[in-house]
Amino acid sequence: MDNRMFRDAMGKFATGITIVSAEYKDQIHGMTVNAFMSVSLDPKLIAVSIDEKASMYRELQEINGFGVSVLSDNQQDVSMVYAKQKEKDREILFERLNGVPVVQGSLVKLACEIHETAKAGDHMIFIAEVKDVQLNDGEPIVYYGGKYRNLEQT
């Protein structure tokens, strides 16, 4: 199997879209992440998997916490900006949750404190404890087969 076949196979698993965000050297940084999952209820842990070539890879190893914003179906443009699929054409608004930046208007906002890391191939898995959560109404944006979709389309 080559890399393209493996990537296509993994694309058959529908995922939600998140923005991982953090403040580093007095600037908010963000990146689109769909490799996100819940790990544990006690303690409340999540995991995100970050490619070593990702823009925030080094920064995440130097900070204690980050935000995770689960995007709604009207935030595809936010995902595309932070996935570097399009240029930023407007300011993306962040707010603070337990001291970390999270995207305004997202379905779920998590404030996370890094618990541990694990190197896995060309990625680092960041396991983090959720310190605060905020829920909002709406529907998620979904990624499936290399395309953004809404639940009605899946």
Side-chain angles (χ1 to χ4, degrees):
M1 118 190 75
D2 64 10
N3 287 350
R4 182 75 258 167
M5 179 183 275
F6 183 72
R7 180 174 230 150
D8 289 347
M10 295 302 99
K12 297 294 183 187
F13 182 68
T15 64
I17 302 292
T18 69
I19 300 295
V20 171
S21 51
E23 188 165 359
Y24 180 76
K25 294 188 177 180
D26 299 322
Q27 272 195 307
I28 294 176
H29 298 265
M31 65 180 291
T32 299
V33 174
N34 67 346
F36 163 82
M37 65 183 254
S38 171
V39 174
S40 168
L41 283 174
D42 188 17
K44 292 167 182 56
L45 299 176
I46 58 94
V48 293
S49 181
I50 308 295
D51 189 314
E52 63 190 14
K53 296 181 208 124
S55 58
M56 289 180 60
Y57 183 79
R58 189 175 322 121
E59 288 91 339
L60 285 171
Q61 293 177 70
E62 295 180 23
I63 60 174
N64 294 324
F66 56 85
V68 176
S69 303
V70 177
L71 298 184
S72 69
D73 60 1
N74 65 357
Q75 292 180 307
Q76 177 177 330
D77 60 327
V78 176
S79 173
M80 292 177 76
V81 165
Y82 285 107
K84 298 182 178 163
Q85 296 170 334
K86 76 175 239 178
E87 290 294 316
K88 188 174 175 182
D89 57 1
R90 65 177 173 87
E91 183 167 353
I92 295 170
L93 300 176
F94 288 85
E95 60 190 59
R96 300 275 172 182
L97 182 65
N98 203 41
V100 296
V102 289
V103 178
Q104 281 188 7
S106 52
L107 286 179
V108 177
K109 300 167 193 161
L110 304 172
C112 303
E113 186 177 287
I114 296 173
H115 189 283
E116 61 186 283
T117 61
K119 183 80 170 130
D122 60 0
H123 281 60
M124 181 75 74
I125 300 169
F126 293 85
I127 300 169
E129 185 171 356
V130 177
K131 295 298 190 175
D132 202 356
V133 63
Q134 194 175 79
L135 304 171
N136 293 305
D137 292 330
E139 296 293 327
I141 186 79
V142 177
Y143 202 70
Y144 175 77
K147 296 179 185 172
Y148 291 96
R149 300 172 190 247
N150 295 338
L151 288 180
E152 295 80 37
Q153 297 172 328
T154 57

